[in-house]
Amino acid sequence: MKFGLIKERKNPPDRRVVFTPDEMLKVKEQFPQAEFEVESSDIRVFSDQEYIEKGIPVDTDVTDCDVLIGVKEVPVDALIPNKTYFFFSHTIKKQPYNRKLLLACLEKNITLIDHETIVDSNNKRLIGFGRYAGIVGAYNGFRAFGIKYDLFNLAKAETLKDQAELIERLRRPVLPPIKIVLTGHGKVGLGAKEMLDAMKIKEVSIEDYLTKSYDRPVYTHIDIQDYNKRIDGKPFDKKDFYTNPQEYTSNFERFTKVSDIFMAGHFFGNGAPDILTRDMLKAPDNKIKVVADISCDVDGPIACTIKASTIAEPFFGYLPSEHKEVHYDHPGAIVVMSVDNLPCELPKDASEGFGEMFLKHVIPSLYNNDKQGILERGTICKNGKLTEKFSYLQDYVDGK
């Protein structure tokens, strides 16, 4: 089996890659029969020369490869027929802008396996860049706070080498005694927590966070039962919440009254109640000054996330009284960071971590007859048809 590491062609350019040169050598150690070829790229965080120095061939033509592996969507005209592709297709939620991509995969007899659909038997994702989104998102949250209040000016994350350098920069400023509330206990939320802990910011219980004052920065890390409650007043039931989200409403307002920064790293499921509402944001006792929406669901559970921001322009102001965008310098503005491709700012670390996961969870399945069903569960289309699991996309493909 010959693997091709494809050039990223989406704009703005993405410097990440699924396999670093060193990780490729690890694949070959474990699976000597695996062959590799790297498509030449002038934007990849690891240069062509770095692959060549490890004995990995680099070429402009990868049509002789069986399996083609990338990060972002492949442009329709660059898809090679009759191949197996791995990349983030952004089609499984019926995203209108990528309908033509899925259509092309069907027409070109491509087997498409989306990184997002690679899950275990309990439907838990096995690979992704979530941790790095959390790391960069937390950094950007503090950067936004420093800029808004003219306290400090941190360098952009994309100009720094790795997570260690991000942490080193965050440790320089002396922060006022602010309170930070963090949601999410998945890879994103835990990535953000890594940064808070590395900064030696004290973690406190929810009760203490809500009732006590501190002379130093503190944070609390909350889960769904902490910011949702049953409408009828009955006790919160996690299993029931996932089954009947319409029976619940947000209980986040108590955090808005005492928090300076909100870092949102939660997963938001269909039908779940909004978390931070317009009414909460415009309430006279709302204290939140910065929202780092790492999860970035536009027009979703965080009312001030009215758009995705960019790495070039990561911050914008949100005016609660008018529910509109203003410059973040506006005295009444809450600063919002809602970059939707945060791991791109840390391409080296993100690539190294992603490759480790791909080698651990995916490569073995290509050589053990997919013993655990990982490839089968992750395949969106094959032999010119949608697989049974993704048959719900048929009306999307048909343009209905």
Side-chain angles (χ1 to χ4, degrees):
M1 195 179 298
K2 189 170 185 179
F3 298 93
L5 211 61
I6 56 177
K7 176 181 178 178
E8 296 298 320
R9 291 174 165 85
K10 193 171 180 185
N11 204 28
D14 193 318
R15 301 181 66 216
R16 293 173 296 172
V17 65
V18 173
F19 282 125
T20 69
D22 285 338
E23 205 64 32
M24 256 186 194
L25 294 185
K26 288 181 187 175
V27 177
K28 287 184 74 66
E29 280 173 23
Q30 293 184 37
F31 301 94
Q33 65 272 52
E35 289 183 72
F36 276 104
E37 192 166 87
V38 174
E39 187 174 10
S40 180
S41 169
D42 56 358
I43 59 164
R44 195 179 283 132
V45 66
F46 296 93
S47 68
D48 289 355
Q49 189 58 36
E50 287 177 90
Y51 287 96
I52 292 167
E53 286 171 2
K54 299 286 185 181
I56 300 156
V58 175
D59 203 338
T60 55
D61 181 2
V62 289
T63 53
D64 60 335
C65 296
D66 307 297
V67 178
L68 298 165
I69 306 171
V71 177
K72 287 290 188 72
E73 301 100 310
V74 177
V76 168
D77 59 1
L79 288 168
I80 304 168
N82 308 312
K83 302 292 183 185
T84 294
Y85 273 91
F86 287 87
F87 58 83
F88 285 108
S89 72
H90 297 118
T91 57
I92 61 171
K93 294 178 183 175
K94 302 185 179 182
Q95 292 94 322
Y97 54 89
N98 278 335
R99 177 179 165 268
K100 288 180 181 175
L101 173 61
L102 184 52
L103 205 56
C105 288
L106 290 163
E107 289 170 354
K108 296 189 179 194
N109 193 36
I110 283 167
T111 298
L112 173 61
I113 304 173
D114 193 312
H115 297 311
E116 196 174 348
T117 62
I118 296 169
V119 296
D120 65 15
S121 56
N122 295 314
N123 215 36
K124 183 181 176 184
R125 282 184 63 180
L126 293 172
I127 61 173
F129 288 104
R131 176 185 169 222
Y132 301 94
I135 288 167
V136 178
Y139 179 89
N140 282 352
F142 287 111
R143 185 167 176 257
F145 184 83
I147 290 172
K148 170 70 175 175
Y149 294 100
D150 207 18
L151 293 172
F152 48 86
N153 197 347
L154 294 169
K156 291 187 85 164
E158 65 173 341
T159 67
L160 304 176
K161 187 177 72 172
D162 53 22
Q163 182 189 11
E165 196 167 353
L166 264 62
I167 291 167
E168 189 270 325
R169 296 299 177 99
L170 284 174
R171 284 177 171 173
R172 291 181 188 179
V174 177
L175 290 169
I178 56 175
K179 285 184 172 181
I180 303 142
V181 58
L182 168 66
T183 55
H185 282 68
K187 288 183 172 67
V188 175
L190 293 176
K193 187 180 189 303
E194 271 185 55
M195 299 301 277
L196 296 169
D197 291 342
M199 293 169 70
K200 303 287 194 279
I201 293 179
K202 181 180 175 65
E203 182 176 5
V204 298
S205 70
I206 292 170
E207 187 181 348
D208 286 352
Y209 183 88
L210 293 171
T211 59
K212 291 185 178 179
S213 296
Y214 295 88
D215 59 3
R216 56 182 284 191
V218 298
Y219 81 95
T220 195
H221 190 189
I222 63 176
D223 208 347
I224 55 168
Q225 69 272 13
D226 305 314
Y227 57 86
N228 291 289
K229 62 182 179 181
R230 278 193 65 98
I231 295 168
D232 61 12
K234 291 179 182 176
F236 184 93
D237 183 311
K238 201 169 193 174
K239 190 176 178 183
D240 182 64
F241 175 80
Y242 288 121
T243 310
N244 302 297
Q246 72 281 357
E247 303 292 333
Y248 294 78
T249 188
S250 175
N251 190 27
F252 189 75
E253 190 166 15
R254 57 199 182 130
F255 295 99
T256 69
K257 300 175 192 295
V258 298
S259 301
D260 300 285
I261 299 176
F262 171 29
M263 294 185 177
H266 53 264
F267 170 77
F268 184 71
N270 290 336
D274 289 345
I275 298 167
L276 179 59
T277 66
R278 288 169 64 174
D279 286 342
M280 290 179 197
L281 286 164
K282 65 183 180 185
D285 58 355
N286 171 42
K287 276 195 69 187
I288 293 174
K289 304 174 181 73
V290 171
V291 174
D293 190 353
I294 307 166
S295 298
C296 187
D297 292 297
V298 177
D299 296 324
I302 311 298
C304 52
T305 304
I306 52 178
K307 70 172 190 178
S309 56
T310 64
I311 290 172
E313 298 289 340
F315 312 126
F316 64 91
Y318 171 79
L319 194 60
S321 58
E322 298 182 41
H323 186 60
K324 71 174 187 180
E325 180 184 348
V326 292
H327 195 274
Y328 56 74
D329 277 345
H330 188 292
I334 292 166
V335 188
V336 181
M337 188 291 302
S338 55
V339 177
D340 62 359
N341 57 342
L342 286 162
C344 294
E345 294 199 67
L346 210 60
K348 182 176 179 290
D349 283 15
S351 299
E352 288 169 349
F354 197 89
E356 287 173 13
M357 291 182 281
F358 203 90
L359 170 54
K360 180 180 177 181
H361 296 295
V362 180
I363 296 293
S365 297
L366 291 160
Y367 288 99
N368 67 14
N369 205 26
D370 195 24
K371 189 167 66 177
Q372 295 170 298
I374 288 170
L375 302 179
E376 184 183 356
R377 283 190 295 272
T379 302
I380 294 176
C381 62
K382 189 175 185 177
N383 300 324
K385 295 179 181 178
L386 293 168
T387 59
E388 186 180 347
K389 182 179 176 182
F390 294 96
S391 58
Y392 71 89
L393 295 172
Q394 191 62 56
D395 61 344
Y396 166 63
V397 168
D398 295 339
K400 294 176 182 175

